[in-house]
Amino acid sequence: MDKLVIIGNGPLEGEVRISGAKNAALPSLAASILTADTLHLTNLPMVRDIHTMCSLLQEMGLNVVLGDEEVSLFGGSINSHIAPYQLVKTMRASILVLGPLLARLGEAQVSLPGGCAIGARPVDLHLSALEKMGAEIKLEHGYIDAKAKRLKGAEIFFEKVTVTGTENIMMAATLAEGTTVLLNAAREPEVEDLAILLNAMGARIEGAGTDRIVIHGVDELHGTHHSIIPDRIETGTYVCATAVTRGRVSITNTAPKYLGRFLEAMQRAGLPMELHENRIEVFPHDGLRPCDVETQPHPGFPTDMQAQFMATMTQAKGVSTITETIFENRFNHVPELNRMGAHIQINGNTAVTSGVTPLSGAQVMATDLRASASLVIAALIADQETTIDRIYHLDRGYYDLEGKLRNLGAKIRRIKNGDSAVREAVDALSGS
């Protein structure tokens, strides 16, 4: 199992290019099921979850040709409606094939998904919506078994805002008979990007980016070309990494408009920045101020930036409170940060962070994707080396993280399992 070894090494400096958004690419890949034509996607982030989804689509018979940050998918060759456990177990977003399979083939058999251990993310909102659209659904032997001759348009109110639920039902509704209205729909940029793709394929979708989305069903969709939007969470992660190291970094191929509440919080904390249409310039600061945030569905402060922001607030002078309202188990990184010297206390769904606290290198364990990133951020300013285990979580969502950080001056190296390899990596980094 791979690990990362990091030695704190002063300010990050230079330019970093942001990859496409994993959370926009995954539903776009699933949308290839909806057409018998070829779908061509560019600005694709080549992370583990993308490879997993492509393998899943190939398993169902689609012709998938991966290139350099791009993919062509031919849905005319699909020959299976089954998404098997061995592929679905590692990635919760695989549930996104359920709606397209049911809409295109009239049946779907999808294993209940896996993914990060950050709390219960039940798929019941997906299933109840599909049932309102006329699907017959059974849960047997760990699989969702769904059938419908043709889905019917319906008015669907989501009791809780769900991004993948909104995306799944929006895709299913494109080929349904009649009009579907989604109320309390997710407003995330990734949802809006999917709607842009689907409309380019011939769908009739209105209101994406608001909490009311209207989908007028059509008989068929066709192929198209589509460029995936930049990854706002990767962007925010590099903003935090630059802030804790008091660095100067130009973050390119990004879209600051997708990160409004997060960037506002960083500016309140005293981080100097210049925001451009597709670039963020981050400058050295004279000291960070504490800042309180509460995670909310978009356009609120993103839950996917909570852990990275918390690591950053360990370097703010004073007390910051971070309240998590989306997932109940998303403070798993706190014990690991405290092992590195942070002073963080948890009270229910609120974490209280006291700073400035000097951090020291330690052996720590990644518990989920964004928790992994918070440990990397902390390690960049820790005294002596930090070894981060279970970084397969990082590989699910960040493309070439160590390479990009190394280009900014960080001392970071990936190693295989084994104490001798860790020691060799530390010696090499210390001498570089």
Side-chain angles (χ1 to χ4, degrees), residues 30-180:
S32 65
I33 297 171
L34 292 166
T35 177
D37 294 339
T38 297
L39 178 62
H40 187 74
L41 303 175
T42 58
N43 199 36
L44 195 72
M46 305 309 289
V47 296
R48 180 175 293 182
D49 275 8
I50 298 301
H51 289 283
T52 300
M53 180 64 87
C54 287
S55 296
L56 177 58
L57 294 172
Q58 286 178 314
E59 181 77 12
M60 293 185 292
L62 278 80
N63 183 21
V64 179
V65 180
L66 271 171
D68 184 15
E69 296 189 1
E70 63 181 351
V71 64
S72 292
L73 309 110
F74 177 62
S77 58
I78 190 169
N79 56 26
S80 173
H81 64 276
I82 299 173
Y85 171 75
Q86 64 266 25
L87 289 172
V88 171
K89 66 179 180 180
T90 62
M91 187 182 65
R92 184 163 292 272
S94 53
I95 191 66
L96 287 166
V97 303
L98 175 63
L101 282 173
L102 193 56
R104 169 94 183 278
L105 302 181
E107 57 183 337
Q109 191 175 22
V110 180
S111 172
L112 289 168
C116 285
I118 57 174
R121 294 187 284 182
V123 297
D124 59 323
L125 297 176
H126 304 235
L127 304 187
S128 62
L130 290 172
E131 285 179 327
K132 286 183 180 178
M133 297 174 72
E136 297 180 3
I137 295 176
K138 297 179 181 178
L139 297 178
E140 294 180 330
H141 311 295
Y143 277 79
I144 301 165
D145 196 347
K147 294 181 180 179
K149 289 185 178 180
R150 187 179 183 187
L151 294 171
K152 308 288 186 181
E155 182 174 283
I156 295 165
F157 176 79
F158 292 111
E159 295 291 341
K160 182 178 180 181
V161 176
T162 165
V163 176
T164 55
T166 299
E167 293 167 340
N168 219 346
I169 304 310
M170 187 166 66
M171 286 189 285
T174 60
L175 296 179
E177 181 182 340
T179 297
T180 300

